[in-house]
Structures are given as C-alpha cells and as structure tokens.
Amino acid sequence: MELKEIAKNVMTACLAVKPEEDVLIITDDTRLTIGQALYEGAKELGCEAMLMVMREREVSGQEPPRTVAEAMKAADVVICPTAKSLTHTNAKIAAQKTGTRIATMPGITEEMFRQGAMTADYKAVEVLTAKVCELLTKASTATIIKDGCILKLGLAGRDGVPSPGVYRERGQCGNLPSGEGYIAPLENEVEGEVIVDGSMVGIGKLDSPLKFVIHDGKIQSITGEKSEMLDILLANDRNRTVAELGIGTNEAAILNGIILEDEKVYGTVHVAFGTNTSFGGVNKADCHMDGIILKPTLYLDDLLVIQNGEFMI
C-alpha cells in the first residue's frame, strides 16, 4: 500500500480526522517523505492541510521553534513524524490545553509505517492499555525485577496515562504507532538497580545489557557496553532523574532499536530519565530518554502484573 493510503487510514482510524479540519504536519529534514504522505493524505480527506519542516532537534524532548509551537496551538490535529521526540515538550502541553489532538511519531521510518505496531488491532490495545493505566493509578508502588536487580518506584498520587494509539477527542495526545500505559513516578522515591537489555535511546537496540544504579530518584552510575554514549544523562541532576515507568501493550510491535515502537512491545517495561512535566511529573530536563526491559517481572503494590514478560492480569 502506498504511504499516502496508509496515512489516510491512520488519520481516519486513530485520529478521526474530519473534512475541513485544520491538520498540521510537523516534520524535519530526515522524515520529509512521511510528512509529505501525511500532508497529501490530509488534503485528499478534505482537510485544510499544512506542512511545516524544521531542522532536526538535537535530543528528544528539545522544544520545537517558537513558530511551530504557536501553530500547534491553532490546529485541530497535529501529527509529528520527526527524528527526535516532541512528545515531552512544553509545546505539546500548550497545544493539548487548547484542544489540539496530537500524534507524535519520533523516529518513525517508512518500514515502521508499513508494518509492526502500526498494523495492530487498536481496539484490543485500547482495552489492555486502559486496564494497565487503572492499575498504575491505584498503585502506591511499583517493583521491577530483572536478572537479580530490583528497582522500587513510588507512585502514590500520580495517575497512569494511556497511549492506546487512538486520539479522537479534543486534547487527546500520544504516540503513533502506540500501545502503552505509563506514569511519572515520584521523583525522589525511586531506589535500586535496573537492567536495560532491549534498547536505549541514544544507543539503539542493545547487544549487551546496561545496568543503572539509582538512589533518591537519580542515576548514580551506568555500566555496560556503550554506556559512554549516555553522558547527557549524567550532565545534571534533572537529566539523572527517573521520569517514567511504562508498560508495553501492543502485540504487533517489534523490537527494532527505535524507541517509538520498542516501548510498545507487549509485555515489556521501560524506564525513562529526564523530563516528565508533560504527564504529571515536575522535572523539566534537557532530554527524555527511555530504556526497554525485556521479559521483566513487575509488581504494582502486591499485584503481580507481568511475570518474565507475560501478563498475569
């Protein structure tokens, strides 16, 4: 199927795009082919389509240009196929508050656009994601167990956030492709050690695991092959801070080294560091970087949610 036809399917099924709506496509020089397909698709759906192209951001979570941020607030629908993520930016928060429906696609490739998580049964993804978010919201603590390492995270008072890949109502936002429930842990209540062995933003798909030691919510050390590529996480306390606990809920997702899809893989858990102000946290950093944990065991309070990568709920 042509990219334009896939784009039209995505816009109608996941974003409920309507004729005459203002649909803004924000892309960068590296993802222009996908951006143009979305733009052409929106035009064929009868929308007032617009395409904005910016320079690639340096890191995920970096703000877009002011002009882009202002345009996001004025549109009905914004779709962002970009190299680096705009998901956790003030620009997205501000646009969401004005009622804009937003789908971010950080790291999307043409291959990913055609297969994998994009092809999921999004009704099933929506049901499981809602269940996961309900449990996250109710829980006071989370415990991740992997290869003898234990990480405990305080969650009390924070809400689980669904990213089911379906954003049809005013102000709804999330990734596409999607399928995860996530939460901002209490920034100073994360303690222990965690093994990241799937993929890591800044590195990609991992050949060998990384080990993070965390105290008082902040990274104390990172060890493992290519850990030197994560120096930005050690640059300051804001970057060191644990920002997110996420749970993948998309059975069609494939681990490929691109975080957009990797963090949606069914039965995985991910931990992110840096900014979390866009989903209930209070930490604004220079980045937002996720690490995927394969076949984890996860408890929410005393409830066994995932055992060695298999859902138990």
Side-chain angles (χ1 to χ4, degrees), residues 110-282:
E110 292 183 35
E111 184 178 17
M112 287 172 62
F113 206 70
R114 289 189 168 98
Q115 63 182 16
M118 212 68 150
T119 68
D121 175 356
Y122 273 102
K123 289 183 179 178
V125 172
E126 198 170 9
V127 170
L128 179 57
T129 302
K131 179 63 175 176
V132 163
C133 287
E134 180 184 3
L135 294 173
L136 286 169
T137 298
K138 289 179 177 178
S140 296
T141 62
T143 305
I144 303 169
I145 303 170
K146 169 79 180 186
D147 293 347
C149 291
I150 299 174
L151 186 69
K152 292 187 176 292
L153 307 94
L155 308 179
R158 298 282 171 87
D159 292 336
V161 181
S163 183
V166 178
Y167 316 111
R168 301 184 182 121
E169 305 297 330
R170 280 178 54 84
Q172 289 187 333
C173 304
N175 286 157
L176 267 179
S178 200
E180 65 166 315
Y182 59 99
I183 194 168
L186 295 166
E187 287 78 6
N188 61 349
E189 293 189 18
V190 184
E191 199 77 29
E193 302 173 340
V194 66
I195 295 291
V196 171
D197 61 342
S199 66
M200 182 74 210
V201 170
I203 298 177
K205 194 171 180 179
L206 296 174
D207 296 320
S208 60
L210 298 165
K211 182 178 179 179
F212 293 77
V213 176
I214 296 161
H215 173 63
D216 195 27
K218 296 176 178 59
I219 299 170
Q220 304 301 304
S221 65
I222 311 171
T223 54
E225 187 180 354
K226 298 183 180 178
S227 59
E228 70 278 1
M229 297 174 69
L230 305 176
D231 283 349
I232 189 172
L233 291 178
L234 304 177
N236 56 60
D237 279 353
R238 298 184 308 280
N239 294 6
R240 290 175 183 265
T241 298
V242 176
E244 176 189 356
L245 165 66
I247 301 170
T249 59
N250 187 322
E251 289 192 86
I254 302 166
L255 190 81
N256 57 27
I258 299 173
I259 206 67
L260 172 63
E261 184 155 2
D262 291 353
E263 66 182 2
K264 314 308 187 308
V265 172
Y266 188 85
T268 63
V269 167
H270 56 275
V271 174
F273 307 93
T275 294
N276 60 9
T277 51
S278 64
F279 55 98
V282 298

Side-chain angles (χ1 to χ4, degrees), residues 26-45:
I26 298 169
T27 191
D28 57 41
D29 299 314
T30 71
R31 299 298 187 274
L32 189 52
T33 300
I34 295 172
Q36 287 176 327
L38 286 159
Y39 169 69
E40 294 295 337
K43 284 198 300 183
E44 290 195 6
L45 290 172

